Amino acid sequence: MAGSERSKMAAGEWYSCLDDELEALRVTARDAVFEHNMLSPRERGNLGPGLKALLGGVGEGARIEAPFHCAYGFNIFVGDGVFLNAGCTILDTASVRIGKGTLLGPNVQIYCAEHHKEMAGRQAGLEIARPVEIGAHAWIGGSAVILGGISIGDGAIVGAGAVVTRDVAANTTVVGNPARPVKRDSVSIPSDQVCATRVS
């Protein structure tokens, strides 16, 4: 199908990541990420100004710790109170939506880009972009990897180091590589003991 490589990427078709327009967009993202990562914590606050302007949507109180990396930025949408701990990477060739109150531990990686399976296709820079959606009040453990095309439901827990290759239902806990459901420990926390401190 005719059209720019950016339009093909947005449409979920095969496109070439070697395209000049896409490279220019990645340079813009790298500049915003560099600023965010280099600012002192007091200057940065919840988000560096360039990164906040770049992202597709930022809810109230959302926070991204440094260092952080993204491919384009404009495909990332984070809800109110979302927290990304240090070292998170989001290759947002497609939409990445993270629901309110969701926590991402250190070094969580989200990969929307899928390279071509044929060597010649990879040499030509061919990729296809698959969106990721994470519901509200989910918890993604440190160093988890979420592949493109995945949906994670509200309240789900992804264990540290898990590789998520299939959708995760709401209020389900998954662990391992590939991630599989396990029985969730049932621990209730009295409402008067819930604090606002972010955890990894």
mmCIF file with all atom_site columns, all heavy atoms in Angstrom, residues 132-157:
data_model
loop_
_atom_site.group_PDB
_atom_site.id
_atom_site.type_symbol
_atom_site.label_atom_id
_atom_site.label_alt_id
_atom_site.label_comp_id
_atom_site.label_asym_id
_atom_site.label_entity_id
_atom_site.label_seq_id
_atom_site.pdbx_PDB_ins_code
_atom_site.Cartn_x
_atom_site.Cartn_y
_atom_site.Cartn_z
_atom_site.occupancy
_atom_site.B_iso_or_equiv
_atom_site.pdbx_formal_charge
_atom_site.auth_seq_id
_atom_site.auth_comp_id
_atom_site.auth_asym_id
_atom_site.auth_atom_id
_atom_site.pdbx_PDB_model_num
ATOM 1   N N   . VAL A 1 132 ? 0.505  -2.011  22.725 1.00 0.00 ? 132 VAL A N   1
ATOM 2   C CA  . VAL A 1 132 ? 0.471  -2.612  24.060 1.00 0.00 ? 132 VAL A CA  1
ATOM 3   C C   . VAL A 1 132 ? -0.482 -1.795  24.918 1.00 0.00 ? 132 VAL A C   1
ATOM 4   O O   . VAL A 1 132 ? -0.440 -0.556  24.899 1.00 0.00 ? 132 VAL A O   1
ATOM 5   C CB  . VAL A 1 132 ? 1.871  -2.632  24.702 1.00 0.00 ? 132 VAL A CB  1
ATOM 6   C CG1 . VAL A 1 132 ? 1.800  -3.004  26.189 1.00 0.00 ? 132 VAL A CG1 1
ATOM 7   C CG2 . VAL A 1 132 ? 2.783  -3.604  23.953 1.00 0.00 ? 132 VAL A CG2 1
ATOM 8   N N   . GLU A 1 133 ? -1.324 -2.499  25.672 1.00 0.00 ? 133 GLU A N   1
ATOM 9   C CA  . GLU A 1 133 ? -2.229 -1.814  26.591 1.00 0.00 ? 133 GLU A CA  1
ATOM 10  C C   . GLU A 1 133 ? -2.131 -2.466  27.958 1.00 0.00 ? 133 GLU A C   1
ATOM 11  O O   . GLU A 1 133 ? -2.259 -3.686  28.085 1.00 0.00 ? 133 GLU A O   1
ATOM 12  C CB  . GLU A 1 133 ? -3.667 -1.859  26.084 1.00 0.00 ? 133 GLU A CB  1
ATOM 13  C CG  . GLU A 1 133 ? -4.621 -1.093  26.972 1.00 0.00 ? 133 GLU A CG  1
ATOM 14  C CD  . GLU A 1 133 ? -5.925 -0.723  26.298 1.00 0.00 ? 133 GLU A CD  1
ATOM 15  O OE1 . GLU A 1 133 ? -6.112 -1.086  25.134 1.00 0.00 ? 133 GLU A OE1 1
ATOM 16  O OE2 . GLU A 1 133 ? -6.757 -0.060  26.958 1.00 0.00 ? 133 GLU A OE2 1
ATOM 17  N N   . ILE A 1 134 ? -1.895 -1.639  28.978 1.00 0.00 ? 134 ILE A N   1
ATOM 18  C CA  . ILE A 1 134 ? -1.843 -2.091  30.369 1.00 0.00 ? 134 ILE A CA  1
ATOM 19  C C   . ILE A 1 134 ? -2.954 -1.357  31.110 1.00 0.00 ? 134 ILE A C   1
ATOM 20  O O   . ILE A 1 134 ? -3.044 -0.134  31.054 1.00 0.00 ? 134 ILE A O   1
ATOM 21  C CB  . ILE A 1 134 ? -0.475 -1.791  31.002 1.00 0.00 ? 134 ILE A CB  1
ATOM 22  C CG1 . ILE A 1 134 ? 0.653  -2.429  30.177 1.00 0.00 ? 134 ILE A CG1 1
ATOM 23  C CG2 . ILE A 1 134 ? -0.432 -2.302  32.446 1.00 0.00 ? 134 ILE A CG2 1
ATOM 24  C CD1 . ILE A 1 134 ? 2.057  -2.054  30.658 1.00 0.00 ? 134 ILE A CD1 1
ATOM 25  N N   . GLY A 1 135 ? -3.788 -2.119  31.789 1.00 0.00 ? 135 GLY A N   1
ATOM 26  C CA  . GLY A 1 135 ? -4.941 -1.534  32.456 1.00 0.00 ? 135 GLY A CA  1
ATOM 27  C C   . GLY A 1 135 ? -4.585 -0.742  33.699 1.00 0.00 ? 135 GLY A C   1
ATOM 28  O O   . GLY A 1 135 ? -3.407 -0.496  34.018 1.00 0.00 ? 135 GLY A O   1
ATOM 29  N N   . ALA A 1 136 ? -5.618 -0.361  34.438 1.00 0.00 ? 136 ALA A N   1
ATOM 30  C CA  . ALA A 1 136 ? -5.453 0.441   35.645 1.00 0.00 ? 136 ALA A CA  1
ATOM 31  C C   . ALA A 1 136 ? -5.003 -0.417  36.822 1.00 0.00 ? 136 ALA A C   1
ATOM 32  O O   . ALA A 1 136 ? -5.365 -1.591  36.934 1.00 0.00 ? 136 ALA A O   1
ATOM 33  C CB  . ALA A 1 136 ? -6.769 1.132   35.986 1.00 0.00 ? 136 ALA A CB  1
ATOM 34  N N   . HIS A 1 137 ? -4.204 0.176   37.692 1.00 0.00 ? 137 HIS A N   1
ATOM 35  C CA  . HIS A 1 137 ? -3.791 -0.421  38.965 1.00 0.00 ? 137 HIS A CA  1
ATOM 36  C C   . HIS A 1 137 ? -3.120 -1.785  38.797 1.00 0.00 ? 137 HIS A C   1
ATOM 37  O O   . HIS A 1 137 ? -3.245 -2.662  39.658 1.00 0.00 ? 137 HIS A O   1
ATOM 38  C CB  . HIS A 1 137 ? -4.994 -0.525  39.918 1.00 0.00 ? 137 HIS A CB  1
ATOM 39  C CG  . HIS A 1 137 ? -5.671 0.789   40.136 1.00 0.00 ? 137 HIS A CG  1
ATOM 40  N ND1 . HIS A 1 137 ? -5.062 1.847   40.787 1.00 0.00 ? 137 HIS A ND1 1
ATOM 41  C CD2 . HIS A 1 137 ? -6.895 1.250   39.740 1.00 0.00 ? 137 HIS A CD2 1
ATOM 42  C CE1 . HIS A 1 137 ? -5.892 2.882   40.813 1.00 0.00 ? 137 HIS A CE1 1
ATOM 43  N NE2 . HIS A 1 137 ? -6.991 2.546   40.179 1.00 0.00 ? 137 HIS A NE2 1
ATOM 44  N N   . ALA A 1 138 ? -2.412 -1.955  37.692 1.00 0.00 ? 138 ALA A N   1
ATOM 45  C CA  . ALA A 1 138 ? -1.598 -3.151  37.497 1.00 0.00 ? 138 ALA A CA  1
ATOM 46  C C   . ALA A 1 138 ? -0.220 -2.920  38.110 1.00 0.00 ? 138 ALA A C   1
ATOM 47  O O   . ALA A 1 138 ? 0.169  -1.787  38.420 1.00 0.00 ? 138 ALA A O   1
ATOM 48  C CB  . ALA A 1 138 ? -1.476 -3.475  36.015 1.00 0.00 ? 138 ALA A CB  1
ATOM 49  N N   . TRP A 1 139 ? 0.525  -4.013  38.285 1.00 0.00 ? 139 TRP A N   1
ATOM 50  C CA  . TRP A 1 139 ? 1.885  -3.931  38.824 1.00 0.00 ? 139 TRP A CA  1
ATOM 51  C C   . TRP A 1 139 ? 2.767  -4.798  37.946 1.00 0.00 ? 139 TRP A C   1
ATOM 52  O O   . TRP A 1 139 ? 2.569  -6.007  37.855 1.00 0.00 ? 139 TRP A O   1
ATOM 53  C CB  . TRP A 1 139 ? 1.911  -4.399  40.272 1.00 0.00 ? 139 TRP A CB  1
ATOM 54  C CG  . TRP A 1 139 ? 3.270  -4.424  40.912 1.00 0.00 ? 139 TRP A CG  1
ATOM 55  C CD1 . TRP A 1 139 ? 4.394  -3.768  40.502 1.00 0.00 ? 139 TRP A CD1 1
ATOM 56  C CD2 . TRP A 1 139 ? 3.639  -5.151  42.082 1.00 0.00 ? 139 TRP A CD2 1
ATOM 57  N NE1 . TRP A 1 139 ? 5.446  -4.037  41.346 1.00 0.00 ? 139 TRP A NE1 1
ATOM 58  C CE2 . TRP A 1 139 ? 5.009  -4.881  42.332 1.00 0.00 ? 139 TRP A CE2 1
ATOM 59  C CE3 . TRP A 1 139 ? 2.941  -5.985  42.938 1.00 0.00 ? 139 TRP A CE3 1
ATOM 60  C CZ2 . TRP A 1 139 ? 5.694  -5.439  43.398 1.00 0.00 ? 139 TRP A CZ2 1
ATOM 61  C CZ3 . TRP A 1 139 ? 3.629  -6.537  44.011 1.00 0.00 ? 139 TRP A CZ3 1
ATOM 62  C CH2 . TRP A 1 139 ? 4.985  -6.267  44.242 1.00 0.00 ? 139 TRP A CH2 1
ATOM 63  N N   . ILE A 1 140 ? 3.740  -4.159  37.299 1.00 0.00 ? 140 ILE A N   1
ATOM 64  C CA  . ILE A 1 140 ? 4.685  -4.856  36.427 1.00 0.00 ? 140 ILE A CA  1
ATOM 65  C C   . ILE A 1 140 ? 6.020  -4.913  37.157 1.00 0.00 ? 140 ILE A C   1
ATOM 66  O O   . ILE A 1 140 ? 6.653  -3.887  37.385 1.00 0.00 ? 140 ILE A O   1
ATOM 67  C CB  . ILE A 1 140 ? 4.834  -4.132  35.067 1.00 0.00 ? 140 ILE A CB  1
ATOM 68  C CG1 . ILE A 1 140 ? 3.466  -3.758  34.479 1.00 0.00 ? 140 ILE A CG1 1
ATOM 69  C CG2 . ILE A 1 140 ? 5.643  -5.005  34.108 1.00 0.00 ? 140 ILE A CG2 1
ATOM 70  C CD1 . ILE A 1 140 ? 2.538  -4.913  34.217 1.00 0.00 ? 140 ILE A CD1 1
ATOM 71  N N   . GLY A 1 141 ? 6.457  -6.118  37.522 1.00 0.00 ? 141 GLY A N   1
ATOM 72  C CA  . GLY A 1 141 ? 7.664  -6.279  38.318 1.00 0.00 ? 141 GLY A CA  1
ATOM 73  C C   . GLY A 1 141 ? 8.928  -5.929  37.548 1.00 0.00 ? 141 GLY A C   1
ATOM 74  O O   . GLY A 1 141 ? 8.963  -5.925  36.309 1.00 0.00 ? 141 GLY A O   1
ATOM 75  N N   . GLY A 1 142 ? 9.985  -5.650  38.282 1.00 0.00 ? 142 GLY A N   1
ATOM 76  C CA  . GLY A 1 142 ? 11.253 -5.236  37.703 1.00 0.00 ? 142 GLY A CA  1
ATOM 77  C C   . GLY A 1 142 ? 11.780 -6.204  36.662 1.00 0.00 ? 142 GLY A C   1
ATOM 78  O O   . GLY A 1 142 ? 11.677 -7.426  36.805 1.00 0.00 ? 142 GLY A O   1
ATOM 79  N N   . SER A 1 143 ? 12.326 -5.641  35.596 1.00 0.00 ? 143 SER A N   1
ATOM 80  C CA  . SER A 1 143 ? 12.951 -6.379  34.489 1.00 0.00 ? 143 SER A CA  1
ATOM 81  C C   . SER A 1 143 ? 11.985 -7.260  33.714 1.00 0.00 ? 143 SER A C   1
ATOM 82  O O   . SER A 1 143 ? 12.425 -8.119  32.932 1.00 0.00 ? 143 SER A O   1
ATOM 83  C CB  . SER A 1 143 ? 14.145 -7.221  34.992 1.00 0.00 ? 143 SER A CB  1
ATOM 84  O OG  . SER A 1 143 ? 15.151 -6.372  35.513 1.00 0.00 ? 143 SER A OG  1
ATOM 85  N N   . ALA A 1 144 ? 10.691 -7.078  33.886 1.00 0.00 ? 144 ALA A N   1
ATOM 86  C CA  . ALA A 1 144 ? 9.731  -7.788  33.037 1.00 0.00 ? 144 ALA A CA  1
ATOM 87  C C   . ALA A 1 144 ? 9.826  -7.258  31.613 1.00 0.00 ? 144 ALA A C   1
ATOM 88  O O   . ALA A 1 144 ? 10.159 -6.090  31.383 1.00 0.00 ? 144 ALA A O   1
ATOM 89  C CB  . ALA A 1 144 ? 8.313  -7.617  33.571 1.00 0.00 ? 144 ALA A CB  1
ATOM 90  N N   . VAL A 1 145 ? 9.520  -8.126  30.650 1.00 0.00 ? 145 VAL A N   1
ATOM 91  C CA  . VAL A 1 145 ? 9.511  -7.771  29.231 1.00 0.00 ? 145 VAL A CA  1
ATOM 92  C C   . VAL A 1 145 ? 8.108  -8.016  28.697 1.00 0.00 ? 145 VAL A C   1
ATOM 93  O O   . VAL A 1 145 ? 7.552  -9.106  28.867 1.00 0.00 ? 145 VAL A O   1
ATOM 94  C CB  . VAL A 1 145 ? 10.530 -8.616  28.437 1.00 0.00 ? 145 VAL A CB  1
ATOM 95  C CG1 . VAL A 1 145 ? 10.440 -8.319  26.948 1.00 0.00 ? 145 VAL A CG1 1
ATOM 96  C CG2 . VAL A 1 145 ? 11.945 -8.368  28.947 1.00 0.00 ? 145 VAL A CG2 1
ATOM 97  N N   . ILE A 1 146 ? 7.542  -7.000  28.041 1.00 0.00 ? 146 ILE A N   1
ATOM 98  C CA  . ILE A 1 146 ? 6.208  -7.104  27.459 1.00 0.00 ? 146 ILE A CA  1
ATOM 99  C C   . ILE A 1 146 ? 6.341  -6.942  25.949 1.00 0.00 ? 146 ILE A C   1
ATOM 100 O O   . ILE A 1 146 ? 6.832  -5.915  25.465 1.00 0.00 ? 146 ILE A O   1
ATOM 101 C CB  . ILE A 1 146 ? 5.268  -6.028  28.038 1.00 0.00 ? 146 ILE A CB  1
ATOM 102 C CG1 . ILE A 1 146 ? 5.167  -6.190  29.565 1.00 0.00 ? 146 ILE A CG1 1
ATOM 103 C CG2 . ILE A 1 146 ? 3.886  -6.109  27.394 1.00 0.00 ? 146 ILE A CG2 1
ATOM 104 C CD1 . ILE A 1 146 ? 4.470  -5.032  30.250 1.00 0.00 ? 146 ILE A CD1 1
ATOM 105 N N   . LEU A 1 147 ? 5.930  -7.954  25.213 1.00 0.00 ? 147 LEU A N   1
ATOM 106 C CA  . LEU A 1 147 ? 6.059  -7.929  23.762 1.00 0.00 ? 147 LEU A CA  1
ATOM 107 C C   . LEU A 1 147 ? 4.878  -7.206  23.117 1.00 0.00 ? 147 LEU A C   1
ATOM 108 O O   . LEU A 1 147 ? 3.828  -7.006  23.736 1.00 0.00 ? 147 LEU A O   1
ATOM 109 C CB  . LEU A 1 147 ? 6.166  -9.355  23.228 1.00 0.00 ? 147 LEU A CB  1
ATOM 110 C CG  . LEU A 1 147 ? 7.346  -10.172 23.763 1.00 0.00 ? 147 LEU A CG  1
ATOM 111 C CD1 . LEU A 1 147 ? 7.417  -11.517 23.044 1.00 0.00 ? 147 LEU A CD1 1
ATOM 112 C CD2 . LEU A 1 147 ? 8.669  -9.422  23.611 1.00 0.00 ? 147 LEU A CD2 1
ATOM 113 N N   . GLY A 1 148 ? 5.056  -6.825  21.856 1.00 0.00 ? 148 GLY A N   1
ATOM 114 C CA  . GLY A 1 148 ? 4.030  -6.107  21.123 1.00 0.00 ? 148 GLY A CA  1
ATOM 115 C C   . GLY A 1 148 ? 2.758  -6.921  20.956 1.00 0.00 ? 148 GLY A C   1
ATOM 116 O O   . GLY A 1 148 ? 2.779  -8.152  20.904 1.00 0.00 ? 148 GLY A O   1
ATOM 117 N N   . GLY A 1 149 ? 1.628  -6.200  20.896 1.00 0.00 ? 149 GLY A N   1
ATOM 118 C CA  . GLY A 1 149 ? 0.342  -6.844  20.695 1.00 0.00 ? 149 GLY A CA  1
ATOM 119 C C   . GLY A 1 149 ? -0.293 -7.371  21.956 1.00 0.00 ? 149 GLY A C   1
ATOM 120 O O   . GLY A 1 149 ? -1.333 -8.034  21.911 1.00 0.00 ? 149 GLY A O   1
ATOM 121 N N   . ILE A 1 150 ? 0.291  -7.072  23.121 1.00 0.00 ? 150 ILE A N   1
ATOM 122 C CA  . ILE A 1 150 ? -0.164 -7.630  24.392 1.00 0.00 ? 150 ILE A CA  1
ATOM 123 C C   . ILE A 1 150 ? -1.112 -6.662  25.102 1.00 0.00 ? 150 ILE A C   1
ATOM 124 O O   . ILE A 1 150 ? -0.910 -5.448  25.107 1.00 0.00 ? 150 ILE A O   1
ATOM 125 C CB  . ILE A 1 150 ? 1.042  -7.932  25.309 1.00 0.00 ? 150 ILE A CB  1
ATOM 126 C CG1 . ILE A 1 150 ? 1.933  -9.004  24.687 1.00 0.00 ? 150 ILE A CG1 1
ATOM 127 C CG2 . ILE A 1 150 ? 0.596  -8.327  26.715 1.00 0.00 ? 150 ILE A CG2 1
ATOM 128 C CD1 . ILE A 1 150 ? 1.274  -10.341 24.510 1.00 0.00 ? 150 ILE A CD1 1
ATOM 129 N N   . SER A 1 151 ? -2.136 -7.242  25.743 1.00 0.00 ? 151 SER A N   1
ATOM 130 C CA  . SER A 1 151 ? -3.047 -6.496  26.605 1.00 0.00 ? 151 SER A CA  1
ATOM 131 C C   . SER A 1 151 ? -2.967 -7.084  28.007 1.00 0.00 ? 151 SER A C   1
ATOM 132 O O   . SER A 1 151 ? -3.055 -8.311  28.173 1.00 0.00 ? 151 SER A O   1
ATOM 133 C CB  . SER A 1 151 ? -4.480 -6.587  26.060 1.00 0.00 ? 151 SER A CB  1
ATOM 134 O OG  . SER A 1 151 ? -5.386 -5.950  26.939 1.00 0.00 ? 151 SER A OG  1
ATOM 135 N N   . ILE A 1 152 ? -2.795 -6.221  28.997 1.00 0.00 ? 152 ILE A N   1
ATOM 136 C CA  . ILE A 1 152 ? -2.727 -6.635  30.398 1.00 0.00 ? 152 ILE A CA  1
ATOM 137 C C   . ILE A 1 152 ? -3.876 -5.960  31.126 1.00 0.00 ? 152 ILE A C   1
ATOM 138 O O   . ILE A 1 152 ? -4.015 -4.740  31.092 1.00 0.00 ? 152 ILE A O   1
ATOM 139 C CB  . ILE A 1 152 ? -1.368 -6.263  31.014 1.00 0.00 ? 152 ILE A CB  1
ATOM 140 C CG1 . ILE A 1 152 ? -0.240 -7.031  30.297 1.00 0.00 ? 152 ILE A CG1 1
ATOM 141 C CG2 . ILE A 1 152 ? -1.338 -6.541  32.508 1.00 0.00 ? 152 ILE A CG2 1
ATOM 142 C CD1 . ILE A 1 152 ? 1.157  -6.627  30.721 1.00 0.00 ? 152 ILE A CD1 1
ATOM 143 N N   . GLY A 1 153 ? -4.703 -6.755  31.783 1.00 0.00 ? 153 GLY A N   1
ATOM 144 C CA  . GLY A 1 153 ? -5.930 -6.236  32.366 1.00 0.00 ? 153 GLY A CA  1
ATOM 145 C C   . GLY A 1 153 ? -5.746 -5.465  33.658 1.00 0.00 ? 153 GLY A C   1
ATOM 146 O O   . GLY A 1 153 ? -4.674 -5.488  34.292 1.00 0.00 ? 153 GLY A O   1
ATOM 147 N N   . ASP A 1 154 ? -6.815 -4.802  34.079 1.00 0.00 ? 154 ASP A N   1
ATOM 148 C CA  . ASP A 1 154 ? -6.826 -4.035  35.319 1.00 0.00 ? 154 ASP A CA  1
ATOM 149 C C   . ASP A 1 154 ? -6.428 -4.933  36.497 1.00 0.00 ? 154 ASP A C   1
ATOM 150 O O   . ASP A 1 154 ? -6.883 -6.080  36.608 1.00 0.00 ? 154 ASP A O   1
ATOM 151 C CB  . ASP A 1 154 ? -8.223 -3.478  35.601 1.00 0.00 ? 154 ASP A CB  1
ATOM 152 C CG  . ASP A 1 154 ? -8.674 -2.446  34.589 1.00 0.00 ? 154 ASP A CG  1
ATOM 153 O OD1 . ASP A 1 154 ? -7.842 -1.977  33.799 1.00 0.00 ? 154 ASP A OD1 1
ATOM 154 O OD2 . ASP A 1 154 ? -9.881 -2.108  34.606 1.00 0.00 ? 154 ASP A OD2 1
ATOM 155 N N   . GLY A 1 155 ? -5.595 -4.404  37.378 1.00 0.00 ? 155 GLY A N   1
ATOM 156 C CA  . GLY A 1 155 ? -5.250 -5.103  38.603 1.00 0.00 ? 155 GLY A CA  1
ATOM 157 C C   . GLY A 1 155 ? -4.331 -6.290  38.437 1.00 0.00 ? 155 GLY A C   1
ATOM 158 O O   . GLY A 1 155 ? -4.039 -6.990  39.419 1.00 0.00 ? 155 GLY A O   1
ATOM 159 N N   . ALA A 1 156 ? -3.850 -6.553  37.232 1.00 0.00 ? 156 ALA A N   1
ATOM 160 C CA  . ALA A 1 156 ? -2.969 -7.701  37.003 1.00 0.00 ? 156 ALA A CA  1
ATOM 161 C C   . ALA A 1 156 ? -1.592 -7.451  37.614 1.00 0.00 ? 156 ALA A C   1
ATOM 162 O O   . ALA A 1 156 ? -1.181 -6.304  37.823 1.00 0.00 ? 156 ALA A O   1
ATOM 163 C CB  . ALA A 1 156 ? -2.837 -7.982  35.512 1.00 0.00 ? 156 ALA A CB  1
ATOM 164 N N   . ILE A 1 157 ? -0.886 -8.550  37.903 1.00 0.00 ? 157 ILE A N   1
ATOM 165 C CA  . ILE A 1 157 ? 0.487  -8.486  38.391 1.00 0.00 ? 157 ILE A CA  1
ATOM 166 C C   . ILE A 1 157 ? 1.362  -9.322  37.465 1.00 0.00 ? 157 ILE A C   1
ATOM 167 O O   . ILE A 1 157 ? 1.035  -10.477 37.177 1.00 0.00 ? 157 ILE A O   1
ATOM 168 C CB  . ILE A 1 157 ? 0.606  -9.012  39.832 1.00 0.00 ? 157 ILE A CB  1
ATOM 169 C CG1 . ILE A 1 157 ? -0.198 -8.145  40.804 1.00 0.00 ? 157 ILE A CG1 1
ATOM 170 C CG2 . ILE A 1 157 ? 2.077  -9.078  40.265 1.00 0.00 ? 157 ILE A CG2 1
ATOM 171 C CD1 . ILE A 1 157 ? -0.249 -8.687  42.222 1.00 0.00 ? 157 ILE A CD1 1
#
